[in-house]
Amino acid sequence: MPIGDVSPEIAIIVAAVLALLFAAFAPRRMQAGSALIALAGIAVAIVLVLGQLGETRFTFSGTWALDGASLWARLMILLGTAFCILLAPGWFRTDPRHGEYYTILLLGALGAMAMAGAGDLLQLTIAVLLSSVTGYTLAAWHRDWALSIEAGMKYFLMGALANALLITGVTLMLGLLGNTGYADIAASLRLGTGLSPLLFVGFALTITGVAFKLGAVPAHAWLPDVAEGAPVPSAAFLTVVPKIGAAIALARLVQLVPPEFLGLRPLIAILAAATMTLGNLAAFWQDDIRRLIGWSSVAQAGYVLMAVTVLGLSPDALSALLAFIASYAIGNLAAFAVVAYLRGRTAIADYDGLAKRRPLVATVLVVSFLSLVGIPPTVGFLGKLALFMTTVDGGYTWLAVVAAANTVASLFYYARVMGRAYFNAPPEEIAVLDRSSGVAVLIGGIFVIGGAVLAGSAFTAFQLSQLLPG
């Protein structure tokens, strides 16, 4: 077993253990030191991932995929986790033992990385379970706050159902195909082995289980509650990082099935349209900005499913998927950084006059929302443009039209916040969290705009990526 192939994941495990040991023995005033250990572990893992670029093969007896899709996704997961860590020390300053938080965060990132690299159905199941268990803890971290407990419980109950469906689907596929390795499953399907309505049910249940991590219909209801009730660093993490791993895992599952078999792609197209429409409609009249971002994250999952739908039908589907999830991650994390910096303000009315009191912060909030809509010159514009072009090229013009209508509609609820921030009278004073979260706001704003400048080079790199099995 070539241990070096999972060296980034080993680095994360080592960092998680060291952060936990430090938190166990460090006094209260030094608990934030675990954050430095976590960041150091992520830095090492990033270097190790970059060293794997260009690798394309299955390893560990076919259970682990090293390809362009998993490598870029793991890099995004690591960078997104590091960004969330910047938000945590100030937020948990009054928590006497918050050092353990960084261990749970790293293990959650490990679950997302394992989803992105899964080359076997059993490996995928373990990855989803690891991501779910850590997610429940992150969501319910504030044990003395009812909303946080509610968020954790709803996430847990939805996860229990979705994970049961996932395991049932995997069991059906194993029974019908006789194997859980993706390469073997793809070979069996090319030969027409095991094709039956029951196999379609197995794939549908497995996809539903993975869609839970993506926050897509029908397993979406946890997302707005987690966005509202979880600690802001946890909300930022859970609405972005697991989605990256789930998007690649879902894409790899769908690519196993030839486009002419089983009718999976029309099903995913319908789920995409339903997810983006429901998410946008539910966000329209939200008065809590965190729930608004949560419902927006549901809608964004629908856009992710657009790229998954046309895998194998358009040559640029994978690069469009990678470009979109990168742009979504940047915009969503930047928006949550603003919320964290403003001490978790939730009511839209709390953002009245923000541009007069904190003009730079208001600017970052506006550009992050514009990026999520897909307005130039933000990075989100290029991500959505690639997505729309690929969907049309793949023969799903109707889905692109639905997505365009949803994009226009989403501008309405973002504009409600942006208008109040610039045109309403400000309060006397707007308190902020700490310098670390302020740095995160600045970094988020730079990436939202600067990412558009680098998008051409990134898209070229994404186009060279593969998604095993090819």
Side-chain angles (χ1 to χ4, degrees), residues 162 164-170 172 199-211:
L165 295 177
L166 170 65
I167 293 171
T168 303
V170 168
L172 286 173
L199 182 61
F200 177 84
V201 173
F203 264 104
L205 291 176
T206 305
I207 287 171
T208 301
V210 179

Side-chain angles (χ1 to χ4, degrees), residues 65 67-74 76-77 112-113 115-118 124 182 210 214 242-255 304 308 311 318 321-322 325 466-468:
D67 55 22
S70 71
L71 294 172
W72 284 115
R74 287 189 288 157
M76 294 178 204
I77 288 166
M113 294 170 72
M115 280 193 283
L124 175 63
Y182 286 179
V210 179
L214 191 63
K243 281 175 174 282
I244 299 172
I248 301 304
L250 193 58
R252 206 184 301 278
L253 269 175
V254 171
Q255 185 162 282
V304 171
V308 175
L311 276 169
L318 177 59
L321 174 63
L322 291 171
I325 59 176
Q466 286 185 269
L467 184 67
L468 292 172

Side-chain angles (χ1 to χ4, degrees), residues 392-453:
V392 173
D393 184 49
Y396 280 84
T397 304
W398 70 266
L399 183 56
V401 172
V402 172
N406 272 278
T407 297
V408 173
S410 68
L411 187 59
F412 169 78
Y413 57 80
Y414 290 125
R416 290 180 62 214
V417 182
M418 295 186 290
R420 298 188 72 131
Y422 275 86
F423 300 115
N424 285 18
E428 289 297 322
E429 185 54 48
I430 297 179
V432 297
L433 191 59
D434 67 341
R435 183 176 298 177
S436 176
S437 59
V439 170
V441 170
L442 183 60
I443 292 173
I446 291 172
F447 269 83
V448 169
I449 301 299
V453 178

Side-chain angles (χ1 to χ4, degrees), residues 60-117:
F60 281 89
S61 302
T63 62
W64 189 253
L66 284 178
D67 55 22
S70 71
L71 294 172
W72 284 115
R74 287 189 288 157
L75 189 60
M76 294 178 204
I77 288 166
L78 291 169
L79 291 172
T81 304
F83 188 89
C84 294
I85 289 174
L86 289 178
L87 306 178
W91 187 268
F92 294 107
R93 185 182 295 113
T94 58
D95 188 327
R97 303 299 305 176
H98 83 269
E100 295 95 335
Y101 178 85
Y102 303 101
T103 293
I104 303 298
L105 201 66
L106 288 176
L107 294 177
L110 179 65
M113 294 170 72
M115 280 193 283

Side-chain angles (χ1 to χ4, degrees), residues 15-27 29-42 85 88-89 97-103 106:
V17 171
L18 292 177
L20 181 62
L21 291 174
F22 179 86
F25 295 101
R29 69 180 186 279
M30 297 179 62
Q31 287 292 298
S34 293
L36 298 177
I37 296 173
L39 288 173
I42 288 174
I85 289 174
R97 303 299 305 176
H98 83 269
E100 295 95 335
Y101 178 85
Y102 303 101
T103 293
L106 288 176

Side-chain angles (χ1 to χ4, degrees), residues 176 194-206 261-265 267:
L176 291 167
L195 292 180
S196 72
L198 200 57
L199 182 61
F200 177 84
V201 173
F203 264 104
L205 291 176
T206 305
F261 289 168
L262 298 181
L264 271 184
R265 281 165 176 77
L267 172 64

